[in-house]
Amino acid sequence: MVALSAGVNVAPSSQHIASCGALRQSRSTAAPRRAAAVVRPRAVAAPEAAARQGPTIVNGQVLHSATKEQLDVVASMDKYAEEHVLPILKPVEKCWQAQDFLPHPESPDFLDHVHQLQQRTKEVPDDYFVCLVGDMITEEALPTYMAMLNTLDGVRDETGAAPTPWGRWTRQWVAEENRHGDLMNKYCWLSGRVDLRQVEVTIQNLIGSGMDPKTENNPYLGFIYTSFQERATKVSHGNTARMAAEYGDEVLGKVCGAIASDESRHEIAYTRIVDEFFRQDPNNAMLCFADMMRKQIVMPAHLMDDGKHGILNGGRNLFTDFSEVAERLGVYQASDYCDIMEHLVARWDIEHREGLRGEAAEAQEYLMKLPTRFRKLSERAAARKSKAQPARVQFSWIFNREVKV
């Protein structure tokens, strides 16, 4: 996972409570706002309970919005997951581990190797380290992502060790992802360039705050979200890999490149799941794809907080400033967000889907126009930013040194 913002808001807030399937009707009106004002957050045990009680709206989204038709599709996909999703995972013995890239502490030359690492990172600029640390913090929030996947109806791991294809995928995906934060954290610590205590505070705050990707316990929405997010992660880590090599730290470049390669495999798995949604249930898949694009992809670390950033910088938001640094440096930009939209529209062959009904046909038309519309808006936003005077912002992650945003 990666925590970056596209930097452009193209969806009005009233669209953020749209969902797909049978619960779509009338939620663009004022009714959801009235409901959200009076309905207190409460636990809903299962989709069947939601059906008996009527839709529960929390923070502008309907819980358990998947229709019976959607859940039937998911229930039919165990064999598909076994044959097309689980094989994307690598056996543990064939996976790299963090220690493969780091000095060996048992070696008599350990301190010499640490010194060499620190000498390499001396030429890496502070704004790069802000991006690297922000990405690392996001990778370290894995408990949140496992919890999110286990909110999805029809695919959650009911026992914590369920032998179902979905339960095995979630646990083993998390196990592969766990290596990413470990490696980045240790590399940053050894570099001496990062205030690890402030990073650790940010990680704890982020895990405690969670995330709200607006997926409504709906597996269609959830796997569209992860398809987008894994590709964004691949792009971000790929760019930090290239830049590290350009700054003269080839080992750090290999670190980020190895992580980007993992994210690329994981993207394939999630897009294959959505491939099957479109094959079996194109109308609901189209509605859900459009729904997630209307909401926009909320990045998983949007609630990050180090406890100091606002104090140091007159109330500024840490995630927003981290995203601005990534945008300016070219680690992840609004144009990348547009590229991912275009890629998924092409991957799921949105243009050539035929026989769609009513709202699904309208969603298809919306999706075909959206990347161009978003790109124009992002270009206008970039033009405005280029004329603005950059601010200098202190980041506690790098010992309160200033970086342009």
Side-chain angles (χ1 to χ4, degrees):
M1 293 281 184
V2 65
L4 297 167
S5 167
V8 181
N9 184 10
V10 299
S13 59
S14 64
Q15 290 175 321
H16 287 199
I17 57 174
S19 91
C20 50
L23 295 173
R24 291 180 59 88
Q25 65 272 17
S26 78
R27 287 206 293 274
S28 62
T29 68
R33 292 195 292 271
R34 291 195 299 271
V38 299
V39 176
R40 295 183 182 276
R42 58 187 175 86
V44 178
E48 294 80 5
R52 289 194 301 270
Q53 299 164 0
T56 298
I57 301 174
V58 176
N59 293 335
Q61 66 173 319
V62 173
L63 303 187
H64 304 292
S65 67
T67 64
K68 183 179 183 303
E69 182 181 18
Q70 290 171 293
L71 294 175
D72 286 346
V73 169
V74 173
S76 75
M77 286 177 58
D78 280 10
K79 183 178 179 182
Y80 180 87
E82 288 276 6
E83 295 178 353
H84 300 283
V85 178
L86 286 172
I88 296 295
L89 297 164
K90 281 188 175 182
V92 174
E93 60 271 17
K94 293 185 178 180
C95 286
W96 58 263
Q97 299 297 335
Q99 188 56 61
D100 298 337
F101 297 89
L102 299 169
H104 292 269
E106 75 280 8
S107 168
D109 301 323
F110 173 68
L111 293 180
D112 291 335
H113 292 152
V114 171
H115 178 71
Q116 292 169 11
L117 185 156
Q118 293 185 344
Q119 289 299 112
R120 290 196 308 269
T121 60
K122 277 187 176 180
E123 302 304 317
V124 180
D126 280 341
D127 51 3
Y128 177 92
F129 265 98
V130 168
C131 296
L132 187 70
V133 169
D135 285 359
M136 179 261 283
I137 287 167
T138 309
E139 297 284 351
E140 292 277 46
L142 268 177
T144 298
Y145 314 139
M146 190 172 197
M148 189 278 275
L149 286 177
N150 279 328
T151 70
L152 301 179
D153 294 326
V155 299
R156 67 173 59 88
D157 183 349
E158 297 283 4
T159 69
T164 64
W166 302 111
R168 285 153 50 209
W169 164 261
T170 296
R171 295 193 302 273
Q172 292 175 50
W173 170 77
V174 168
E176 288 194 351
E177 290 274 336
N178 186 62
R179 293 141 57 245
H180 302 171
D182 281 353
L183 175 54
M184 297 172 77
N185 193 314
K186 290 171 183 173
Y187 203 95
C188 286
W189 178 66
L190 290 172
S191 76
R193 294 287 303 278
V194 172
D195 185 340
L196 254 295
R197 191 178 197 285
Q198 278 304 116
V199 170
E200 289 160 353
V201 168
T202 312
I203 293 168
Q204 184 172 350
N205 280 333
L206 179 57
I207 294 173
S209 297
M211 63 181 288
D212 183 9
K214 307 297 184 185
T215 50
E216 303 182 358
N217 313 104
N218 186 318
Y220 282 43
L221 297 176
F223 290 131
I224 289 167
Y225 175 87
T226 51
S227 296
F228 193 107
Q229 188 55 246
E230 292 295 272
R231 190 168 184 86
T233 304
K234 176 179 72 173
V235 169
S236 178
H237 288 303
N239 284 331
T240 55
R242 173 180 54 79
M243 291 176 185
E246 291 172 355
Y247 295 137
D249 192 339
E250 293 186 1
V251 177
L252 181 55
K254 291 177 181 178
V255 164
C256 297
I259 295 169
S261 180
D262 273 1
E263 305 294 3
S264 183
R265 284 190 297 111
H266 298 161
E267 176 204 351
I268 291 169
Y270 287 121
T271 54
R272 282 183 180 178
I273 294 170
V274 182
D275 286 345
E276 186 66 4
F277 291 162
F278 269 105
R279 189 187 73 81
Q280 291 197 43
D281 188 14
N283 285 282
N284 277 318
M286 190 72 70
L287 288 169
C288 287
F289 186 19
D291 183 43
M292 287 309 300
M293 293 301 97
R294 285 191 179 97
K295 294 171 180 175
Q296 298 188 55
I297 299 298
V298 179
M299 298 302 164
H302 63 284
L303 299 177
M304 66 165 54
D305 177 22
D306 65 349
K308 287 189 175 181
H309 194 81
I311 297 170
L312 291 170
N313 299 289
R316 296 178 69 98
N317 179 270
L318 175 58
F319 176 75
T320 300
D321 283 341
F322 156 55
S323 300
E324 290 291 337
V325 175
E327 173 90 21
R328 187 181 60 77
L329 194 61
V331 169
Y332 185 84
Q333 301 175 302
S335 59
D336 295 314
Y337 191 98
C338 298
D339 290 344
I340 296 170
M341 282 195 292
E342 288 180 343
H343 169 78
L344 293 177
V345 165
R347 163 71 194 225
W348 294 323
D349 198 21
I350 300 304
E351 181 179 4
H352 300 109
R353 297 283 172 181
E354 297 180 349
L356 298 171
R357 301 188 302 268
E359 285 187 319
E362 294 174 8
Q364 179 185 36
E365 184 178 355
Y366 165 79
L367 288 166
M368 290 305 303
K369 295 177 180 178
L370 183 61
T372 300
R373 177 189 171 206
F374 198 103
R375 198 174 294 279
K376 288 179 180 178
L377 289 171
S378 67
E379 289 169 355
R380 291 174 193 165
R384 289 194 298 271
K385 286 182 183 179
S386 68
K387 297 175 183 178
Q389 185 70 23
R392 297 196 66 85
V393 173
Q394 291 179 274
F395 282 86
S396 71
W397 302 339
I398 52 172
F399 302 101
N400 299 339
R401 293 192 294 273
E402 289 186 344
V403 169
K404 285 183 181 179
V405 299

